[in-house]
Amino acid sequence: MMRMIPVAALLLLFAVPALCQTELTPRQIESKNEINEGARAYKAGKFDEAQQRFERALELDPESRNAPFFIARAIHSKFKPNLDAPENIAIARAAIAAYHRAFNSDLTNDEAYNAIVYLYGQIKDEAGLRQWLMARVADLGVPAFKRAQAYTLMASEEWNCSYTITERKEHKAVVIFRGRATIKYLKPKDEAEFQQAKQCAERGMELVEQAVGLDAASLQAWSYKTNILLELVKLAEMEENELLKSDYQRQSAEAQRRTTELSEQEKQKAEGQANQSPPLQR
């Protein structure tokens, strides 16, 4: 679940000394007052009132870059995760529309961008999510690592599509080999089901390769590359293609080594930053 934006952050954005600003018009001053009142309502859990205050602030100052985001956040706060009721879905779609407006007014607003991704996922709008992510990867003005994140997220959806099929109980059997129990993956009786899993895994591989190409140091991308290759191993086993299975096993082992390496680098970086933190004052 996405957390509410802290009310302190809302207030700090507008608690700027007058000396640091150009002279405000009476409507701009009134707009900022509405923002402050909206922040207080938000803190009190009065999201309808907060939304109304933020909307009024935007009416008073249509050039405000922050009011559109606060409107979206207020609407979003009324959404209940994992509830498929029509009225809840309507709230999610209203929040998505509001976040779109906020993002269009500030293309650097990653919170708005990520909130849209989250809400599309919550309401299971795969088409909407795919369109949103595709727009991200197609925008060459977006930093490479952010485009890689979008590719990785699409790849994760394809991995889940394949994994959901290959891990079904009826598609696995326990085999005893040299005294050890191992899992043997069985091809689905329904050929269409098998082809769906295979297509998902292959599409996922194409997407994650794009991610790695844009950000070779992405731990998330390499982790999903490993997982997708493991799906391809299972699918090759289902087809009894030992040569292909062996090749995918080799690739997955290489991807896992790279994943482990990047994980260790991130761990060392985090430890280094922790060691550089100033001591607590008594």
Side-chain angles (χ1 to χ4, degrees):
M1 181 192 304
M2 295 189 67
R3 295 176 297 176
M4 295 188 302
I5 187 171
V7 68
L10 291 174
L11 293 171
L12 284 173
L13 284 171
F14 294 93
V16 182
L19 292 176
C20 298
Q21 300 179 357
T22 58
E23 186 174 351
L24 300 178
T25 67
R27 288 178 67 85
Q28 288 174 322
I29 293 173
E30 189 178 352
S31 174
K32 290 187 178 295
N33 289 337
E34 288 290 343
I35 288 288
N36 289 333
E37 290 301 318
R40 293 187 182 93
Y42 188 94
K43 181 180 180 181
K46 300 176 181 178
F47 302 126
D48 286 331
E49 180 185 339
Q51 180 184 344
Q52 292 168 6
R53 292 283 190 179
F54 296 145
E55 288 173 345
R56 176 60 178 158
L58 186 59
E59 289 176 8
L60 290 163
D61 182 11
E63 300 302 315
S64 172
R65 294 180 66 188
N66 295 298
F69 176 72
F70 293 155
I71 292 168
R73 184 64 83 182
I75 298 171
H76 183 169
S77 296
K78 293 181 280 187
F79 173 74
K80 296 179 175 60
N82 305 314
L83 178 62
D84 292 333
E87 58 272 19
N88 197 47
I89 301 299
I91 289 172
R93 292 204 175 278
I96 289 171
Y99 277 125
H100 270 288
R101 290 190 292 272
F103 184 74
N104 289 337
S105 68
D106 180 8
L107 297 178
T108 65
N109 192 330
D110 286 338
E111 281 197 78
Y113 180 86
N114 292 329
I116 292 172
V117 171
Y118 168 82
L119 287 167
Y120 274 136
Q122 278 289 310
I123 63 176
K124 300 178 177 60
D125 185 346
E126 295 180 5
L129 177 59
R130 174 58 68 96
Q131 184 177 9
W132 183 237
L133 294 173
M134 288 300 294
R136 183 73 148 186
V137 301
D139 187 350
L140 299 182
V142 173
F145 79 94
K146 291 184 179 181
R147 294 170 61 214
Q149 289 171 348
Y151 271 122
T152 302
L153 184 52
M154 287 190 285
S156 73
E157 294 294 317
E158 299 295 348
W159 166 81
N160 186 62
C161 163
S162 177
Y163 184 84
T164 300
I165 295 172
T166 60
E167 287 297 317
R168 285 181 187 157
K169 184 179 179 180
E170 62 269 27
H171 299 157
K172 298 190 292 183
V174 177
V175 177
I176 305 300
F177 181 69
R178 293 181 180 176
R180 295 179 58 187
T182 60
I183 299 295
K184 178 176 177 58
Y185 287 91
L186 309 174
K187 188 175 182 180
K189 294 179 180 179
D190 184 351
E191 179 66 22
E193 191 175 35
F194 173 77
Q195 291 300 327
Q196 180 186 0
K198 188 174 180 179
Q199 289 168 11
C200 287
E202 290 174 348
R203 281 198 303 265
M205 194 64 192
E206 292 172 2
L207 291 164
V208 82
E209 289 285 24
Q210 293 281 355
V212 170
L214 285 167
D215 186 3
S218 170
L219 172 59
Q220 186 181 43
W222 278 99
S223 179
Y224 270 107
K225 181 173 180 177
T226 302
N227 289 336
I228 292 169
L229 282 164
L230 289 174
E231 283 303 297
L232 290 168
V233 168
K234 291 188 286 186
L235 293 162
E237 183 174 293
M238 287 178 172
E239 288 190 298
E240 299 182 348
N241 189 331
E242 290 301 319
L243 185 61
L244 189 58
K245 176 184 173 182
S246 177
D247 185 45
Y248 283 138
Q249 286 175 323
R250 176 187 58 79
Q251 292 184 56
S252 67
E254 292 174 357
Q256 181 60 63
R257 281 193 292 272
R258 179 60 173 155
T259 301
T260 302
E261 181 182 85
L262 289 170
S263 180
E264 285 300 316
Q265 289 176 6
E266 287 201 2
K267 181 180 178 181
Q268 290 172 11
K269 182 178 178 180
E271 290 175 349
Q273 290 174 342
N275 292 334
Q276 292 174 5
S277 299
L280 294 174
Q281 297 295 325
R282 292 187 177 181

